[in-house]
Amino acid sequence: MNFHLQIIYLLNKSLFFIFYFLLTYSATTIASTYTFTNAAATGRFGPTQTQINTAYTGTTLDSAVTINTQGIQEWIVPVTSDYQIEAYGAQGGDDGVANGGNGAKMIGTFALTAGDTISILVGQRGQSTDGAGGGGGTFVINGAYSTKASMTNSSIHVVAGGGGGGNRDMMSGYINGYIGVTTTSGSDGENNPGSAGVSGNGGGLYSNHLSGGAGFFGNPPDATRNATHIEPTSFINGGVGGYGYWSPDFDVRTLGGFGGGAGGWARSSGGNAGGGYSGGGGQAHGYRGGGGGSYNNGTNKTNTAGENAGHGMVVITLIDTTAPTNQNTVFASAASASGGDTVTIVSSGDSTNDVWFAPAGTTIFTAGATMTKATNGVATSILAPATDGTYYLYVLDATGNISIASTAALTVSSALPSPLNKTDVTDSIKAMSGIA
């Protein structure tokens, strides 16, 4: 190689190094997260379509949730993948300084299929007053709500139990409510009242007039002492919170939270039961109703009793674990080049992908003398690394999943001249011949 060609070659290499170290890359995981809330609804009934539209505007759920039955949020799975689902049961209502019991938190991983419908009920807090209402359970169920008649335990992804209402105890003062539990059964009410619900049914009632919380399948038994008392309903039956009975002596009725929380009447002074997979047991006068039970059909489970204060919530996060497999299409044949040369490749087909040349076994990708990255995932060329050696092509998707190395290898050797364009050659010839 003559002197003039060497100068041009070295100049090209220098510009390449400057360009190289201006580039950096950090492999990060980007997940799509969908957060479902009560959409500002309170009390016995869940949100309307209008409330959902308002609450989710500008979020990942914008125009993606349908209400066919009030309060039941139907969402269509966008991509087939694994998802982490977090469900938070609602807190019971407060009675003065006695806080309602916190709802349970249930987390699991689930394989969801694009196009499937998920029915979600977000539990709401019980009313805060004397005789505080029970908190509603939160439900994440596979299938459109119109198929509720055929739903079974296997339809459940997760259910998180709601907490019982706080209690102004007649003898002991103010006592916080019972928490939502992680067992499938709810918890019993206090002082020998109604027993906890089991097997997805509602909790028992005390003395025919203060019902338990509702479950997934069943309502609690009817509180027959007063026809004005309204029991909470199960998920299958709409999930509406209870409404305490009216008394001519004390005309205050308390509301259970949407999601099967029990209501009561202020004269009882006790906290009412929470809803859940199985309802909490009903309270005796002046005591506390039980917390709702929970259910988790996922893998990688994390179940926590009494974790959530406030209304319930559901968070669904995409876990994309499928690595790209088209590395041998993008770089199909072995090639040789000098550092900084342009190497022809095929588009990976997705502009959000990253395409790299790197040494065998690379798991962390950072632009430098031994790694280069194409400008985007649909680029049809990439620069060869600067350092002599053997390199392979990798495709990384937007969530950070990495393909295996390409079968074909790129050999980089400084013994190979860098390709010159027509202008470079012409200028060199003129310089050597003394032509201006």
Side-chain angles (χ1 to χ4, degrees):
M1 184 184 297
N2 66 41
F3 175 75
H4 293 90
L5 292 178
Q6 288 177 334
I7 293 295
I8 293 169
Y9 176 70
L10 292 174
L11 179 61
N12 286 346
K13 295 277 283 189
S14 298
L15 291 173
F16 168 71
F17 286 130
I18 293 170
F19 170 73
Y20 231 118
F21 290 103
L22 290 175
L23 293 175
T24 57
Y25 172 80
S26 174
T28 57
T29 299
I30 304 169
S32 295
T33 299
Y34 308 89
T35 301
F36 301 80
T37 69
N38 61 309
T42 59
R44 302 176 60 217
F45 299 101
T48 63
Q49 185 70 65
T50 298
Q51 288 174 305
I52 288 293
N53 293 346
T54 299
Y56 294 161
T57 296
T59 74
T60 54
L61 292 174
D62 197 338
S63 302
V65 174
T66 301
I67 302 290
N68 291 309
T69 297
Q70 184 171 345
I72 309 297
Q73 305 182 38
E74 297 189 49
W75 174 71
I76 296 176
V77 178
V79 178
T80 298
S81 186
D82 288 345
Y83 291 79
Q84 177 178 276
I85 300 179
E86 305 171 47
Y88 299 78
Q91 182 183 9
D94 301 333
D95 187 344
V97 297
N99 296 324
N102 286 350
K105 174 183 177 182
M106 308 292 284
I107 302 176
T109 299
F110 301 84
L112 304 184
T113 303
D116 283 357
T117 299
I118 308 297
S119 294
I120 296 169
L121 186 160
V122 176
Q124 294 169 194
R125 284 202 72 180
Q127 183 179 5
S128 292
T129 183
D130 288 347
T138 293
F139 301 75
V140 183
I141 311 299
N142 188 56
Y145 193 66
S146 60
T147 66
K148 61 185 180 180
S150 61
M151 288 179 177
T152 65
N153 285 333
S154 63
S155 305
I156 297 171
H157 291 313
V158 285
V159 178
N167 176 29
R168 178 171 57 85
D169 187 275
M170 294 178 177
M171 301 297 294
S172 305
Y174 292 95
I175 304 175
N176 293 341
Y178 283 126
I179 61 175
V181 296
T182 58
T183 55
T184 57
S185 300
S187 61
D188 291 334
E190 189 176 27
N191 196 34
N192 197 31
S195 58
V198 297
S199 303
N201 293 302
L205 58 88
Y206 166 76
S207 187
N208 291 330
H209 61 282
L210 291 169
S211 70
F216 176 67
F217 298 110
N219 302 343
D222 184 16
T224 57
R225 174 169 172 171
N226 190 301
T228 63
H229 181 84
I230 301 174
E231 291 73 33
T233 61
S234 67
F235 175 85
I236 297 298
N237 293 320
V240 176
Y243 192 18
Y245 71 79
W246 175 84
S247 166
D249 300 319
F250 206 82
D251 187 16
V252 178
R253 305 164 69 183
T254 62
L255 307 177
F258 181 63
W265 61 305
R267 189 176 184 181
S268 76
S269 300
N272 290 282
Y277 172 71
S278 302
Q283 61 129 321
H285 278 302
Y287 295 94
R288 295 174 290 174
S294 302
Y295 203 100
N296 191 341
N297 268 327
T299 59
N300 303 316
K301 301 177 187 180
T302 301
N303 303 331
T304 310
E307 176 74 10
N308 182 57
H311 296 294
M313 180 172 62
V314 171
V315 180
I316 300 179
T317 303
L318 172 67
I319 306 172
D320 184 0
T321 59
T322 303
T325 58
N326 60 341
Q327 68 281 351
N328 290 331
T329 300
V330 178
F331 186 56
S333 301
S336 299
S338 294
D341 285 357
T342 297
V343 180
T344 299
I345 58 174
V346 174
S347 165
S348 75
D350 187 337
S351 62
T352 65
N353 286 343
D354 287 327
V355 178
W356 290 83
F357 272 133
T362 299
T363 58
I364 298 175
F365 294 78
T366 303
T370 60
M371 296 188 206
T372 54
K373 183 176 75 164
T375 54
N376 55 55
V378 293
T380 55
S381 65
I382 180 174
L383 298 178
T387 301
D388 287 1
T390 302
Y391 300 92
Y392 298 88
L393 186 133
Y394 297 83
V395 180
L396 282 65
D397 66 20
T399 59
N401 297 308
I402 306 170
S403 75
I404 62 173
S406 62
T407 302
L410 173 68
T411 301
V412 175
S413 174
S414 58
L416 295 171
S418 180
L420 301 176
N421 60 39
K422 183 177 180 180
T423 301
D424 293 331
V425 174
T426 301
D427 290 345
S428 297
I429 293 172
K430 286 180 179 180
M432 287 185 290
S433 62
I435 299 173

